[in-house]
């Protein structure tokens, strides 16, 4: 069975996209697993890392995926040639894009279609949005085609994030060790618990952990981390190695950057060593080893 790992927290800028990138590239480049990345965030940050997104002519600042290489205008009369994860909310097929990394494929965002999917009425949201991603990842072709699906979510607890949580086998919550971020963790833990109660024993949603990110060795961060680790029912979920704040996480995102992945740095590079340790620790909990 493919594992479905969701990075989520309703607070913005905590490292959901960075964590999704790190884990997907570690799993594909180092572990040689077949990985599908899904960008469920209308901001489309994750998509832009792997494919050249187009601007949406209908909505300023909205992004749409490029024309897919498999598109044949003469044969595909029902398809406009662009494919995004938003398609699944409209009863359309979603065709992943290859990336420059072997074993790593992407289902990009479509800003406007994702925003519109979130705007359905309360009566329709369960069947039209909440359940659709779960149905999609359970399709036999997807289950056969990938070992790991990683879903990056928007900074909200809205219908798209709920859809991701319903589809998840595993959840990870990245968080800075700062006041508002800690409040965001509580909100996500609540969502996780609500979903856990609804699951059967055979299909749990496992909280892999709370991942402290952008960590600096300053009193503020140390004290928030210590406090979090002591909290009953929460402390045991805090992952032992925080991701330190390092410019390289932002530098690799710049167009044309070299190296373009943390895992192309020298093996002895401190950022690579640190990132590998964290990714190994997380993916050991997610992937079957046999
Ligand atoms: N450990 C880190 N060290 C330095 N910069 C980081 C680190 N983690 C993330 N960043 C940077 O912080 C910014 C926000 O990170 P990221 O985009 O991963 O957060 P996010 O939770 O996905 O944000 P959003 O909620 O807007 O989707 C990015 O510019 C990213 O490069
Ligand atoms: Mg993001």
């Amino acid at each position: 069975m493919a594992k479905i790992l969701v990075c989520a927290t309703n607070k913005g800028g905590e490292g959901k996209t960075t964590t999704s990138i790190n884990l997907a590239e570690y799993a594909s480049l180092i572990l040689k697993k077949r990985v599908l990345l899904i960008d469920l965030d209308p901001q489309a940050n994750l998509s832009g890392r792997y494919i050249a997104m187009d601007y949406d002519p209908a909505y300023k600042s909205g992004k749409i995926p490029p024309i897919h290489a498999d598109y044949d205008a003469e044969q595909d009369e029902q398809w406009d040639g662009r494919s995004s994860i938003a398609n699944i909310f409209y009863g359309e097929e979603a065709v992943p894009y290859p990336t420059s990394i072997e074993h790593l494929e992407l289902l990009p965002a479509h800003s406007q279609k994702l925003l519109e999917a979130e705007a359905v009425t309360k009566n329709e949201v369960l069947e039209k949005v909440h359940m659709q991603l779960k149905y999609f990842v359970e399709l036999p072709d997807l289950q056969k085609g990938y070992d790991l699906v990683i879903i990056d979510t928007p900074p909200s607890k809205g219908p798209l994030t709920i859809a991701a949580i319903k589809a998840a086998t595993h959840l990870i919550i990245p968080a800075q060790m700062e006041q508002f971020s800690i409040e965001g963790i509580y909100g996500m833990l609540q969502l996780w618990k609500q979903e856990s109660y609804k699951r059967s024993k055979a299909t749990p949603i496992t909280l892999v952990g709370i991942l402290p990110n952008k960590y600096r060795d300053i009193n503020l961060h140390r004290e928030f981390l210590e406090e979090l680790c002591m909290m009953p029912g929460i402390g045991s979920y805090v992952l032992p190695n925080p991701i330190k704040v390092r410019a390289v996480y932002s530098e690799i995102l710049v167009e044309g950057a070299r190296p373009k992945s943390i895992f192309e740095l020298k093996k002895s590079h401190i950022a690579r060593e640190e990132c590998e340790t964290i990714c190994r620790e997380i993916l050991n909990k997610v992937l079957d080893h046999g």
Side-chain angles (χ1 to χ4, degrees):
M1 290 278 282
K3 298 297 189 286
I4 318 296
L5 174 60
V6 169
C7 286
T9 175
N10 51 303
K11 169 91 171 47
E14 298 293 280
K16 294 176 286 294
T17 303
T18 305
T19 305
S20 302
I21 289 171
N22 289 340
L23 291 170
E25 294 184 8
Y26 181 81
S28 54
L29 279 167
I30 309 290
L31 301 181
K32 310 291 179 205
K33 298 289 179 187
R34 299 162 306 158
V35 182
L36 175 64
L37 262 174
I38 295 181
D39 188 357
L40 212 55
D41 185 354
Q43 297 179 94
N45 296 145
L46 181 73
S47 309
R49 169 158 179 76
Y50 298 102
I51 59 177
M53 296 288 280
D54 288 335
Y55 278 101
D56 188 341
Y59 296 93
K60 259 196 187 156
S61 82
K63 300 276 182 64
I64 55 176
I67 299 292
H68 199 290
D70 289 353
Y71 176 62
D72 178 341
E74 280 176 18
Q75 286 200 340
D76 299 314
E77 283 172 8
Q78 304 294 319
W79 185 24
D80 68 355
R82 301 180 195 269
S83 173
S84 85
I85 188 59
N87 287 16
I88 67 167
F89 302 116
Y90 298 83
E92 299 159 1
E93 205 182 335
V95 187
Y97 289 69
T99 72
S100 60
I101 298 176
E102 206 183 347
H103 310 301
L104 178 61
E105 295 191 342
L106 170 77
L107 260 172
H110 183 302
S111 307
Q112 196 57 27
K113 279 173 106 173
L114 284 174
L115 289 170
E116 278 169 13
E118 283 219 296
V120 296
T121 64
K122 258 191 172 172
N123 295 340
E124 292 180 320
V125 75
L126 179 67
E127 200 44 42
K128 286 204 167 159
V129 184
H130 287 176
M131 299 309 291
Q132 291 303 322
L133 197 54
K134 178 176 159 60
Y135 298 153
F136 177 70
V137 298
E138 285 175 353
L139 291 172
D141 277 357
L142 188 137
Q143 288 286 328
K144 267 189 256 138
Y146 303 99
D147 303 304
L148 177 65
V149 178
I150 297 179
I151 305 175
D152 184 21
T153 57
S156 82
K157 286 193 278 186
L160 292 170
T161 300
I162 294 185
I165 286 178
K166 289 203 175 297
T169 58
H170 293 80
L171 173 66
I172 183 151
I173 306 173
Q176 298 180 71
M177 291 299 105
E178 298 189 1
Q179 184 66 44
F180 297 148
S181 312
I182 304 283
E183 288 167 17
I185 297 175
Y186 301 149
M188 287 318 293
L189 287 173
Q190 216 177 4
L191 269 191
W192 167 64
K193 279 190 185 150
Q194 281 167 0
E195 178 62 17
S196 281
Y197 292 136
K198 290 182 199 154
R199 299 283 184 105
S200 75
K201 272 207 174 121
T203 58
I205 170 167
T206 303
L207 177 59
V208 180
I210 298 161
L211 177 60
N213 187 25
K214 298 194 203 175
Y215 187 79
R216 282 191 293 150
D217 204 12
I218 54 174
N219 284 343
L220 178 80
H221 288 183
R222 253 197 318 271
E223 284 165 18
F224 269 119
L225 182 57
E226 277 168 18
E227 238 175 76
L228 198 63
C229 288
M230 302 285 283
M231 275 183 199
I234 296 181
S236 59
Y237 290 110
V238 181
L239 293 167
N241 297 299
I243 305 189
K244 304 236 172 68
V245 68
R246 295 198 187 278
V248 69
Y249 289 110
S250 304
E251 286 165 1
I252 57 156
L253 302 178
V254 177
E255 226 180 291
R258 284 284 174 274
K260 67 175 196 290
S261 170
I262 295 282
F263 306 107
E264 287 172 357
L265 291 167
K266 270 201 280 179
K267 273 196 170 159
S268 57
H269 192 292
I270 181 78
R272 175 169 173 177
E273 276 188 349
E274 199 175 87
C275 192
E276 281 203 10
T277 303
I278 291 158
C279 290
R280 191 181 316 118
E281 177 185 292
I282 292 171
L283 291 176
N284 263 338
K285 294 187 184 189
V286 175
L287 296 166
D288 288 332
H289 298 277

